[in-house]
Amino acid sequence: MNAKQIESYVEKGYWLKKSYGDLVGEWAAQYGDKTAIRDGDDSMTYRQLAVYADRLAAAFLKKGIRRGDRVILQMCNTQMIAPAYFGLFRIGAVVIPVYPALRETEISALAKEAEAVAYICTEEYLDFSYAELVEMQRLEDERKERE
């Protein structure tokens, strides 16, 4: 897409000159305590979503994730996935969403191909421990470094 096409999309209102990271703050100011996300009996307001996203953005920065970094996000579809996405969008990271069903072989290959700097996952879902998967990969990486 060239610059003229992009400007046309912006003029027509198809595209905004804002990121999702910017929008979550605007939504919090505009909609405040209205429900943003409902997950069964749980819910999250727009204000809570923005606060959680900001906290996660700060944590991601502290862990060394920066603007433009590719990050694999493997979480189940619950309300807590939204703050993770928006936290990454806030810092300008590139999110690589991954289905919860993928396992070590696929995740490792994707991480290598995408040159991902981080992997964020649900700790456990449907009796599968993603934390154990992460630990196994860490140990494998350490073994390879020693060789």
Side-chain angles (χ1 to χ4, degrees):
M1 191 163 242
N2 63 39
K4 186 176 178 180
Q5 290 170 314
I6 292 171
E7 193 55 41
S8 171
Y9 275 41
V10 170
E11 286 174 10
K12 292 176 182 175
Y14 301 154
W15 287 358
L16 301 175
K17 288 189 173 182
K18 300 175 185 179
S19 72
Y20 283 117
D22 297 329
L23 289 173
V24 73
E26 290 180 19
W27 296 334
Q30 186 175 357
Y31 302 114
D33 291 326
K34 291 183 179 178
T35 301
I37 300 168
R38 183 168 307 284
D39 180 16
D41 292 335
D42 296 326
S43 64
M44 183 182 303
T45 68
Y46 285 94
R47 190 177 330 279
Q48 289 170 320
L49 175 58
V51 168
Y52 291 148
D54 286 344
R55 288 179 183 166
L56 285 172
F60 297 150
L61 286 169
K62 191 173 180 179
K63 288 290 186 182
I65 300 172
R66 299 288 181 255
R67 177 179 214 55
D69 284 346
R70 295 173 195 93
V71 177
I72 294 175
L73 184 62
Q74 186 178 33
M75 296 179 72
C76 52
N77 195 17
T78 66
Q79 70 175 354
M80 291 314 294
I81 196 171
Y85 267 105
F86 285 110
L88 290 165
F89 293 151
R90 280 275 209 207
I91 62 175
V94 178
V95 179
I96 303 169
V98 176
Y99 291 111
L102 298 183
R103 298 294 186 254
E104 182 181 358
T105 303
E106 297 91 353
I107 298 299
S108 295
L110 180 60
K112 182 178 180 181
E113 185 67 28
E115 298 177 355
V117 302
Y119 168 69
I120 299 168
C121 62
T122 301
E123 187 173 347
E124 186 175 308
Y125 181 65
L126 296 177
D127 296 326
F128 181 79
S129 174
Y130 293 89
E132 287 179 20
L133 182 140
V134 170
E135 180 61 14
M136 287 181 348
Q137 186 61 49
R138 185 187 67 75
L139 293 171
E140 177 66 15
D141 290 345
E142 285 179 3
R143 184 190 62 76
K144 287 179 183 176
E145 286 178 14
R146 288 190 302 266
E147 291 178 349

